């Protein structure tokens, strides 16, 4: 296998809302084509970290490097260019309810490309087919199930063939079977798009099934307690909080 190539580097990152410290001393590297999981208990700052990684918030201290270029040491025009390679599905993730699935998925294409309406429609059909939603182009979000909504949000996130895909809790609220199907879909997309993927999730099954690497944030000490492949952390990390997080509830079926 080729040597991993660094894609996004988080360097000495401190994140704050006003004076309120959320996390500090964050250092980790997301390699190209990683499926990288941001883990930790509720309120520790996972969504906040994701929002820093996609350039929505500026670090209080430290750097976010994308392809070895610092997101906040470039002009805003260059930053916008760097961020165009990112596709995002937020935790609230909602599609626009007054638009059809085709219109929702087509929106980034309308905003960021000069494609003609017919070309947009063709691409939208392709993206919806990739997430198993062929034939649902003209449905409204209220007319499809929760699992289908998550897949439609995925289709919108991949509309511009992103280099990096970010998901905040992609399977939250789904039953275990649908959650597993969504994981499988993320794996398929990761392979077919060659994208790097960064995911916030609590779902242990997903964490063990799809991660290639992960970071664990702690709300109490306001810093990361571990970084590594979740199975390695399970076997070798002796931090009790990390162990409690990875061992809660159902254990992964098989551990090598
Ligand atoms: N816009 C904001 N302004 C001020 N504080 C915020 C804001 N967004 C989040 N916070 C606070 O920052 C902390 C981290 O929130 P964040 O949403 O990043 O956590 P999280 O790990 O994603 O939690 P969850 O697992 O519940 O989604 C929380 O204490 C939260 O109240
Ligand atoms: Mg969150």
């Amino acid at each position: 296998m080729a040597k991993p190539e660094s894609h996004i580097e988080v360097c000495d990152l401190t994140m704050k809302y006003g004076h309120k410290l959320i996390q500090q001393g964050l250092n980790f590297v997301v390699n190209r084509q990683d499926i990288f999981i941001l883990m930790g208990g509720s309120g520790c700052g996972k969504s906040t970290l994701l929002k820093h990684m996609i350039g929505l918030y500026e670090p209080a201290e430290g750097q976010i490097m994308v392809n070895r270029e610092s997101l906040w040491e470039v002009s805003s025009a260059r930053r916008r260019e760097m961020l165009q390679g990112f596709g995002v599905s937020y935790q609230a993730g909602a599609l626009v309810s007054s638009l059809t699935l085709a219109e929702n998925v087509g929106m980034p294409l309308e905003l960021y490309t000069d494609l003609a309406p017919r070309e947009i429609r063709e691409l939208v059909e392709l993206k919806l087919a990739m997430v198993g939603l062929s034939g649902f182009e003209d449905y409204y979000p209220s007319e499809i199930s929760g699992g289908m909504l998550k897949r439609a949000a995925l289709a919108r996130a991949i509309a511009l063939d992103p280099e990096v895909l970010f998901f905040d809790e992609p399977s939250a609220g789904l039953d275990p079977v649908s959650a597993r199907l969504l994981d499988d879909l993320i794996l398929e997309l990761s392979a077919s798009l060659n994208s790097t993927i960064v995911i916030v999730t609590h779902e242990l099954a997903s964490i063990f099934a799809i991660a290639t690497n992960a970071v664990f944030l702690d709300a109490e000490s306001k810093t990361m307690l571990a970084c590594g492949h979740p199975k390695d952390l399970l076997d070798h990390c002796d931090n009790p909080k990390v162990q409690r997080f990875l061992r809660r509830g159902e254990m992964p079926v098989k551990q090598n």
Side-chain angles (χ1 to χ4, degrees):
M1 219 167 109
K3 192 169 167 285
E5 189 188 334
S6 143
H7 199 163
I8 302 175
E9 286 173 48
V10 170
C11 309
D12 293 323
L13 177 67
T14 297
M15 310 188 294
K16 289 182 179 173
Y17 287 110
H19 292 294
K20 184 178 169 196
L21 176 66
I22 306 299
Q23 285 279 325
Q24 62 186 348
L26 302 186
N27 281 291
F28 59 88
V29 177
V30 178
N31 286 319
R32 210 163 270 283
Q33 295 186 24
D34 257 348
I35 300 185
F36 194 101
I37 315 251
L38 310 181
M39 315 188 283
S42 190
C44 67
K46 302 178 298 296
S47 297
T48 303
L49 174 56
L50 188 135
K51 287 173 186 163
H52 277 74
M53 293 175 78
I54 61 174
L56 211 56
Y57 297 143
E58 188 170 357
E61 283 171 45
Q63 305 288 335
I64 309 280
M65 313 287 292
V66 179
N67 293 322
R68 303 193 182 281
E69 202 173 0
S70 174
L71 208 46
W72 293 94
E73 284 181 356
V74 295
S75 65
S76 53
R78 175 66 192 137
R79 185 160 50 251
R80 264 199 304 280
E81 241 170 55
M82 289 164 75
L83 297 176
Q84 278 215 7
F86 289 6
V88 187
S89 175
Y90 293 105
Q91 188 164 9
L95 301 170
V96 180
S97 59
S98 58
L99 300 180
T100 64
L101 296 195
E103 288 164 343
N104 268 288
V105 176
M107 199 156 47
L109 294 162
E110 302 230 351
L111 287 174
Y112 296 110
T113 72
D114 298 323
L115 295 172
R118 192 178 45 78
E119 293 168 313
I120 290 184
R121 180 73 187 193
E122 277 171 16
L123 266 177
V124 163
E125 285 175 4
L126 174 73
K127 301 298 171 184
L128 283 169
M130 284 174 80
V131 301
L133 287 175
S134 276
F136 289 93
E137 287 77 9
D138 299 321
Y139 281 60
Y140 285 89
S142 61
E143 298 172 325
I144 60 174
S145 74
M148 291 161 86
L149 279 175
K150 305 260 182 195
R151 284 189 274 140
L154 246 168
R156 186 177 56 181
I158 62 171
L160 293 166
D161 292 328
E163 242 194 285
V164 195
L165 262 167
F166 292 88
F167 298 111
D168 199 342
E169 306 272 6
S171 51
L174 295 183
D175 63 79
V177 174
S178 311
R180 189 57 215 251
L181 288 174
L182 198 75
D183 289 345
D184 291 345
L185 181 61
I186 290 172
L187 277 178
E188 272 170 36
L189 291 176
S190 144
S192 60
L193 298 169
N194 285 329
S195 305
T196 301
I197 297 187
V198 179
I199 310 183
V200 176
T201 183
H202 284 99
E203 307 281 336
L204 277 184
S206 308
I207 290 172
F208 286 105
I210 66 177
T212 60
N213 206 355
V215 64
F216 182 90
L217 306 184
D218 176 43
E220 207 179 19
S221 56
K222 300 192 188 306
T223 192
M224 58 189 268
L225 298 181
C227 182
H229 192 292
K231 284 184 183 141
D232 290 338
L233 295 179
L234 187 68
D235 292 341
H236 302 298
C237 176
D238 49 17
N239 188 293
K241 283 184 185 165
V242 177
Q243 283 297 328
R244 258 202 311 280
F245 181 88
L246 291 174
R247 291 184 185 278
R248 94 205 110 101
E250 251 179 50
M251 289 291 291
V253 180
K254 183 168 163 243
Q255 285 165 48
N256 296 313

